[in-house]
Each structure stands twice: as structure tokens, then as C-alpha cells.
Amino acid sequence: DTAVSQTPKYLVTQMGNDKSIKCEQNLGHDTMYWYKQDSKKFLKIMFSYNNKELIINETVPNRFSPKSPDKAHLNLHINSLELGDSAVYFCASSPLGGRRGYTFGSGTRLTVV
Amino acid sequence: KQEVTQIPAALSVPEGENLVLNCSFTDSAIYNLQWFRQDPGKGLTSLLLIQSSQREQTSGRLNASLDKSSGRSTLYIAASQPGDSATYLCANHQTGANNLFFGTGTRLTVIP
């Protein structure tokens, strides 16, 4: 029974395409996040949602748009994909805004060709 | 801005050795610090979570300590096994922030 699940696990697409990554958590957490892991394996926050409300929007191109239809879901839509968007994207969730630890999904490896 | 550093970047040890991984951070105003394990091509598995009021946490062969005032945490692995080979990441939740700040990771290889 997966706690934080992301789909798809792998995504290979051409430059200029639009794609979405979905995330769902069944932990009852109130905050969800998107992190990006670059080629050097460094993880950095992209977005944070608390009870469907955007809390953090780091310096990310506006081609990236998160959407939270409800507390248990946070999707990431990417328009006009570029080569530099290739990375692993992780979804995470936490209770109490992160003060009781975070749970991560297994990641989505995006490759733009 | 919070900066988290992990030393060493890579570590190779023979099976059975005890080892220590280090994590340092620049801003001591944190709620908690969390250690994760990441296997190649996989997600992050939470190992230990230390709240700011705690000094250490233990789980099996793992022991994590936290010294907030000096901005340091260590992860101690006892009697290392080949299955411990992975990248270990520390991350902290800074007070007033709403996300985790990650370190650069330590890639551990345990040689049979």
C-alpha cells in the first residue's frame, strides 16, 4: 500500500511537448511538494502546497505549473519541454507543514530528447 | 539561506566496519533533521528523523545525532553490510521555511 505514489515512473518525450506527472498520497498529510533532482543528484524544492494552497513557488520557469485538485493530489504540468528539463522529479508529503518529517515518492525520471 | 554540506562525498569501507557520515548546516534554527537513503535509480527512503529538541535517534544499526548549536549531525552505521551501499542524504526543515534543505549526499560503498 504505497504512501506517496507518482506516475509515470519514466517519461521520455521530445522537445516542445507538454507533459504531466501525477502524485497521490494516502497518508492524510496536509502539505505536498515537488522536488527536482539534477544530474549531480542535488535535490531542490520547486513547489509546496498546503491544503490545496500554493505556499512555495521557487524560481522555476512558468512553463511548470502545479495543480492540486484536493489535499491528497499534487500534479505537475510542464509546457514546451526543453532539454534542460531532463531530471528526476520527486513528489513528497508531510504532516504539520514538515515539522514531523517528510515522505517521498519513488520519483519520475524525465528525459527530453 | 540554509546551506547543508555532507562530508565525505564518497566513502568505501570493508564489510563489518563501523562508520560515520557527517552533515553540517549553516542556520541552526531548524525544526528537525532527517536522514534518507537513496539507492541508484530509486526514491528516497527515510531512515531517521530527529526533532530539534532531541539529541539522537536510533534504529537498528543506525544512530543519528544532532548538535543544533554547532550546526552538525552525524549518522553512525554499525557493522556495515554490502546492502548498506547507497547514497545517504541529510536534510533539515528550517524554522520559518516550508521545505527541506538537502545536503549534497555521501555515496557509500561497502565491500564484501
Side-chain angles (χ1 to χ4, degrees), chain A residues 14-66:
Chain A
Q14 291 186 326
M15 280 175 53
N17 283 351
D18 302 339
K19 290 293 178 185
S20 292
I21 307 172
K22 295 186 176 181
C23 179
E24 175 181 4
Q25 55 98 1
N26 62 6
L27 298 167
H29 290 169
D30 55 2
T31 310
M32 295 184 72
Y33 312 81
W34 279 108
Y35 280 82
K36 179 180 180 180
Q37 187 172 43
D38 60 26
S39 57
K40 295 185 179 179
K41 307 299 183 187
F42 186 68
L43 276 147
K44 190 174 178 185
I45 184 72
M46 298 175 70
F47 301 103
S48 165
Y49 265 77
N50 184 275
N51 285 318
K52 301 197 304 176
E53 183 182 342
L54 180 65
I55 302 298
I56 290 177
N57 183 354
E58 287 292 305
T59 307
V60 175
N62 58 15
R63 298 180 294 104
F64 289 78
S65 55

Side-chain angles (χ1 to χ4, degrees), chain A residues 9-10 31 33 35 37 40-45 48 55-56 58 90 96-107 109, chain B residues 1 4 31-32 34 36 38 40-46 49 51 87 89 92-94 97-105:
Chain A
K9 190 171 174 60
Y10 300 97
T31 310
Y33 312 81
Y35 280 82
Q37 187 172 43
K40 295 185 179 179
K41 307 299 183 187
F42 186 68
L43 276 147
K44 190 174 178 185
I45 184 72
S48 165
I55 302 298
I56 290 177
E58 287 292 305
F90 285 97
L96 299 175
R99 281 168 276 179
R100 288 293 179 263
Y102 290 64
T103 302
F104 279 77
S106 56
R109 182 175 294 276
Chain B
K1 183 184 173 184
V4 184
Y31 276 124
N32 55 51
Q34 199 165 355
F36 295 90
Q38 185 175 26
K42 304 289 186 183
L44 278 68
T45 300
S46 180
L49 170 69
Q51 298 295 341
T87 295
L89 295 159
N92 65 46
H93 181 106
Q94 190 178 359
N98 289 286
N99 61 286
L100 278 177
F101 289 90
F102 275 88
T104 44

Side-chain angles (χ1 to χ4, degrees), chain B:
Chain B
K1 183 184 173 184
Q2 179 74 277
E3 291 185 8
V4 184
T5 305
Q6 291 185 246
I7 294 173
L11 180 63
S12 187
V13 300
E15 182 177 2
E17 267 201 13
N18 303 326
L19 58 101
V20 175
L21 306 181
N22 296 293
C23 171
S24 61
F25 45 95
T26 54
D27 190 332
S28 62
I30 62 171
Y31 276 124
N32 55 51
L33 186 139
Q34 199 165 355
W35 282 92
F36 295 90
R37 168 187 173 139
Q38 185 175 26
D39 292 282
K42 304 289 186 183
L44 278 68
T45 300
S46 180
L47 298 173
L48 289 164
L49 170 69
I50 312 176
Q51 298 295 341
S52 62
S53 57
Q54 298 173 324
R55 296 287 299 206
E56 64 179 300
Q57 283 286 335
T58 298
S59 175
R61 294 182 294 107
L62 305 179
N63 176 277
S65 68
L66 174 63
D67 184 343
K68 252 184 53 169
S69 59
S70 66
R72 292 181 187 171
S73 177
T74 61
L75 179 66
Y76 174 83
I77 303 178
S80 59
Q81 302 172 357
D84 295 331
S85 298
T87 295
Y88 290 80
L89 295 159
C90 72
N92 65 46
H93 181 106
Q94 190 178 359
T95 306
N98 289 286
N99 61 286
L100 278 177
F101 289 90
F102 275 88
T104 44
T106 294
R107 191 173 70 253
L108 173 67
T109 303
V110 180
I111 303 165

